[in-house]
Amino acid sequence: MPALTTTSDGFLLHGEPFRIISGALHYFRVHPDLWSDRLRKARLMGLNTVETYIPWNHHQPDPDGPLVLDGLLDLPRFLGLARDEGLHMLLRPGPFICAEWDGGGLPDWLTGDPDIRLRSSDPRFTGAVDRYFDLLLPALRPHLAAAGGPVIAVQVENEYGAYGDDSAYLKHLADAFRSRGVEELLFTCDQADPEHLASGTLPGVLAASTFGSRVEQSLARLREHRREGPLFCAEFWIGWFDHWGGPHHVRDAADAAADLDRLLSAGASVNLYMFHGGTNFGFTNGANHKHAYTPTITSYDYDAALTECGDPGPKYHAFREVIARHASVPDEPVPAPGPKLPPTEVELSGRAALMPLAGAPVRADVPLTMDALGQRTGYALYRTTLPAGGDGLLHFAGGVGDRALVFVDGAPAGVLERERHDETLPVRVPRPGATLEVLVENMGGVNYGPRIGAPKGLLGPVSFDGTALRDWDCHPLPLDDLDAVPFAPAGETAVTVPAFHRGTFEVDAPADAFLALPGWTKGQAWVNGFHLGRYWNRGPQRTLYVPGPVLRPGSNELVLLELHGTTAARAQLTDTPDLGPENTW
Ligand code: GLA
């Protein structure tokens, strides 16, 4: 008997009436030293439950390797901390999670095989899922309510009705949980649309919905689909995510709180998406691709109740007030904003060229995709010789995945972007036999819709003025280890782009900070080896979040990879985030 059961219009927990008042918090988007702080703040806002996805691609990077469960991925520790805080947990293990996460959480070793029908009952897909669940479930079982843990429900797939209608696949997943000892309540979640609900739900499995507004209408649609059972909004969108080049989306706190009040007044259960968004650290962000490719930014602030750095924002206070009208909230002080580092300037006086760090090449007649090179995130460098000189057109058949910097004899010659559907670039070649280099950046794997798993790198043959270019050296450049970067004082190195820049700064008491890079163009940032993520002056975000725990008392190191060029040799750590011009929805 599961701990959480359903009645004709609600939930019982251990036999007592219960309403889920939950908020989403992705452990993999928050520094692990800050998990307990965020969970405590969830409880203090009045939440009784926290929800998280589980990103398959990071937990199982190698199909034959063990499950990765440490650092940012130490899910058992996160679940233990939630239990210590007295919170229940909802788990959403996918296998597909969407979530603006690279590839929607599907591993590249799976999506790289074009023959596999993803998210279907194709045995090549379900077989891989089964092997993953064989590893995952033993790690989760001690944390299920049946074993005294905090997990009271588990989601099957994610908004499947927006993607497919293979109910045998959904049934396979539900059976996969049951046969591996999950007794807890199972649920599906789908957008509040009759067709989505029809395709994405399963008999005997609770149907929940996702929406951000039109509360009564959305609940009515869910009720039309299921005449009985609890009404549960499994994702109540209280903010939204941002794309590079777009605005910073915000939602008025009073408007979101009024809708939360409507939901709770209707007797529904809710999971706020997001309670705390966190950050797409490193190369973890996803992308959308409807008519054009649009990658998600580094911040996943989401205009959530807790800001990216974990401070209570306007919604925290507004939601706490609403929740107090419907349930008891802890009689404890509302948390104050955390301390911030005093503004600090960082002089970046060390330099190292990027290109020499490219790994050993694979020789190929036509460029290999990054996937074929066995590398999914980061960059790849392609090098060949241009047989003829003069003005001409480079043609990249199939475009680039996702942004390519072109160099002729080491000089920047232009940029191609998947976002703009670029396939050609006019270049001037100074001499026959000039070297062509193409540095391609993976800007994030599509996480929604049919283009999940779209390849990265150079995507097809390249020609110059109609002549096919052959004999490519294809170098992986994953940038997963910077220890070997041979920094030298700026004055002793030739000015090259792209280049690494290094500086040190002193810290008295570690605290959260925000890295501002005025004068810099586009690249990556690391503090003390922790990969903060991508920066880009295209915006909207103008600062990157630096979690306090990555800093240490004394000397600290900032490394930037700048792809284009900089007018400054310094960076700033500020005490205020700047996520760019706002657009209210
Ligand atoms: C859907 C998905 C989530 C997320 C949101 C948008 O609801 O289920 O994973 O992508 O959209 O943030």
Side-chain angles (χ1 to χ4, degrees):
M1 173 90 159
L4 186 68
T5 53
T6 62
T7 66
S8 61
D9 64 352
F11 290 108
L12 300 176
L13 184 62
H14 302 297
E16 299 293 324
F18 180 72
R19 188 216 292 264
I20 301 170
I21 304 181
S22 170
L25 195 181
H26 301 153
Y27 56 98
F28 46 91
R29 283 183 158 130
V30 178
H31 192 286
D33 291 3
L34 299 171
W35 287 346
S36 48
D37 172 77
R38 306 312 194 239
L39 291 163
R40 187 177 61 88
K41 288 171 176 165
R43 180 180 63 78
L44 291 180
M45 196 178 82
L47 301 182
N48 56 26
T49 305
V50 159
E51 172 271 314
T52 184
Y53 282 123
I54 302 177
W56 181 7
N57 54 350
H58 280 222
H59 283 292
Q60 199 187 12
D62 173 353
D64 304 313
L67 214 59
V68 179
L69 288 171
D70 59 4
L72 272 151
L73 295 170
D74 193 347
L75 174 58
R77 179 172 164 261
F78 181 77
L79 295 175
L81 292 173
R83 187 207 46 223
D84 294 349
E85 199 60 54
L87 290 161
H88 305 293
M89 286 291 318
L90 307 176
L91 289 185
R92 305 206 286 167
F96 166 74
I97 63 167
C98 195
E100 291 69 68
W101 189 251
D102 187 29
L106 296 180
D108 51 71
W109 47 261
L110 195 61
T111 56
D113 182 342
D115 291 335
I116 295 183
R117 278 182 297 115
L118 304 173
R119 305 178 69 191
S120 81
S121 46
D122 178 342
R124 290 165 296 184
F125 186 73
T126 51
V129 174
D130 288 345
R131 288 190 291 281
Y132 168 51
F133 282 2
D134 282 343
L135 299 173
L136 182 67
L137 266 303
L140 294 183
R141 267 198 303 267
H143 302 277
L144 301 177
V151 178
I152 54 171
V154 176
Q155 184 179 295
V156 178
E157 246 281 347
N158 190 75
E159 288 192 338
Y160 185 66
Y163 181 86
D165 59 1
D166 183 346
S167 52
Y169 162 58
L170 289 183
K171 179 147 187 338
H172 181 98
L173 295 179
D175 292 346
F177 289 126
R178 292 288 183 238
S179 65
R180 288 168 181 78
V182 179
E183 287 174 24
E184 310 309 334
L185 183 88
L186 298 181
F187 66 102
T188 54
C189 87
D190 284 284
Q191 289 160 36
D193 170 285
E195 283 177 20
H196 288 220
L197 285 161
S199 307
T201 54
L202 263 184
V205 172
L206 174 69
S209 204
T210 60
F211 52 87
S213 55
R214 293 194 289 271
V215 170
E216 287 81 7
Q217 184 188 332
S218 302
L219 290 177
R221 286 189 167 175
L222 187 54
R223 182 51 82 218
E224 273 162 36
H225 180 75
R226 286 281 162 99
R227 311 307 301 182
E228 286 217 325
L231 292 172
F232 176 30
C233 178
E235 283 180 32
F236 173 47
W237 302 315
I238 54 106
W240 204 245
F241 57 93
D242 301 336
H243 291 133
W244 291 112
H248 171 45
H249 294 94
V250 295
R251 180 173 181 188
D252 179 60
D255 174 59
D259 273 351
L260 177 61
D261 199 22
R262 282 189 188 95
L263 260 169
L264 296 178
S265 299
S269 280
V270 65
N271 176 48
L272 306 170
Y273 194 95
M274 302 288 299
F275 161 67
H276 175 44
T279 310
N280 294 312
F281 293 121
F283 294 122
T284 60
N285 67 280
N288 290 81
H289 194 151
K290 199 161 183 194
H291 305 296
Y293 172 78
T294 48
T296 302
I297 64 166
T298 302
S299 171
Y300 201 63
D301 175 87
Y302 216 87
D303 197 29
L306 283 189
T307 65
E308 184 175 9
C309 68
D311 287 342
K315 290 193 182 99
Y316 188 91
H317 304 282
F319 291 169
R320 190 171 183 274
E321 255 181 64
V322 170
I323 294 169
R325 279 181 228 146
H326 300 271
S328 66
V329 299
D331 186 15
E332 292 174 55
V334 172
K340 307 289 180 294
L341 204 71
T344 306
E345 290 251 315
V346 189
E347 197 82 36
L348 288 123
S349 53
R351 298 264 192 293
L354 169 73
M355 305 302 208
L357 295 169
V362 178
R363 228 340 139 92
D365 201 32
V366 290
L368 301 173
T369 63
M370 281 172 75
D371 311 65
L373 288 170
Q375 179 209 339
R376 182 65 188 185
T377 56
Y379 298 75
L381 175 65
Y382 298 86
R383 195 179 272 133
T384 192
T385 302
L386 289 154
D391 290 336
L393 200 62
L394 281 172
H395 179 247
F396 293 80
V400 299
D402 302 300
R403 190 171 183 274
L405 274 57
V406 178
F407 302 85
V408 177
D409 272 350
V415 176
L416 294 102
E417 292 189 355
R418 183 177 231 160
E419 283 188 66
R420 299 187 306 223
H421 308 278
D422 290 340
E423 290 201 9
T424 56
L425 184 73
V427 291
R428 169 159 296 175
V429 180
R431 60 182 180 96
T435 300
L436 173 69
E437 287 172 310
V438 187
L439 178 70
V440 188
E441 176 177 357
N442 172 351
M443 292 284 298
V446 173
N447 61 266
Y448 185 79
R451 288 190 166 88
I452 294 168
K456 302 294 184 181
L458 287 184
L459 305 177
V462 182
S463 61
F464 179 60
D465 265 355
T467 304
L469 300 178
R470 304 194 181 283
D471 298 329
W472 289 85
D473 280 337
C474 313
H475 303 255
L477 244 173
L479 297 188
D480 45 10
D481 180 8
L482 300 190
D483 286 352
V485 180
F487 284 104
E492 295 172 19
T493 41
V495 178
T496 55
V497 284
F500 287 102
H501 301 251
R502 178 183 178 273
T504 56
F505 57 99
E506 293 295 313
V507 166
D508 283 338
D512 285 348
F514 305 91
L515 177 65
L517 295 166
W520 300 77
T521 309
K522 185 178 195 300
Q524 308 286 335
W526 292 260
V527 168
N528 295 332
F530 184 91
H531 191 175
L532 300 177
R534 184 177 277 114
Y535 66 86
W536 198 356
N537 65 1
R538 186 175 280 184
Q541 79 177 105
R542 298 183 183 123
T543 56
L544 292 181
Y545 172 49
V546 184
V550 311
L551 300 174
R552 54 194 175 221
S555 180
N556 291 260
E557 179 194 60
L558 171 67
V559 171
L560 301 177
L561 166 65
E562 169 56 49
L563 295 173
H564 295 274
T566 174
T567 58
R570 48 185 60 204
Q572 286 154 18
L573 291 165
T574 75
D575 55 8
T576 316
D578 182 354
L579 295 175
E582 294 180 352
N583 179 32
T584 305
W585 68 280

